[in-house]
Amino acid sequence: MTRRPRPHHPMRPAWLCRNCAAPWPCPPAQLHLATEFYGHSIALAFYLGANMQDALDDLYSLGVRPNLRAHHARFLGWLSLTRRPRRADLR
């Protein structure tokens, strides 16, 4: 019997990965999200932006003042790596 790998979902309010305890979205979560949203980069950006806002709200409710630049890099900074090359870029 083969076990299915555990998903890399966020644990709130800390926003750490439930599987590997890295800050979410961890690299495995990023890979999964990029695959799941392949061809829909705008939808992925909206999804991650909403999650970033939830994370910031959670931190503020805990009395923590988050580093906004770090959160932007963590949630949205890696998105440019997921874009498909356009046909013109392949020539």
Side-chain angles (χ1 to χ4, degrees):
M1 187 166 145
T2 308
R3 261 190 179 179
R4 295 181 86 189
R6 289 179 46 189
H8 291 260
H9 293 297
M11 178 177 47
R12 292 178 75 170
W15 286 86
L16 298 176
C17 177
R18 289 185 182 274
N19 191 357
C20 66
W24 192 90
C26 58
Q30 291 175 2
L31 179 61
H32 173 75
L33 289 167
T35 303
E36 184 177 344
F37 283 88
Y38 183 75
H40 303 280
S41 58
I42 294 172
L44 177 56
F46 274 105
Y47 175 75
L48 289 169
N51 278 283
M52 182 179 74
Q53 184 61 54
D54 288 345
L56 293 172
D57 290 344
D58 285 348
L59 290 173
Y60 281 121
S61 70
L62 293 172
V64 176
R65 186 171 178 185
N67 179 330
L68 299 179
R69 287 180 194 245
H71 271 75
H72 182 272
R74 175 176 154 187
F75 282 87
L76 299 170
W78 60 275
L79 285 180
S80 64
L81 302 175
T82 65
R83 290 186 56 213
R84 288 187 296 175
R86 291 179 290 180
R87 291 191 89 108
D89 296 339
L90 296 175
R91 295 182 201 170

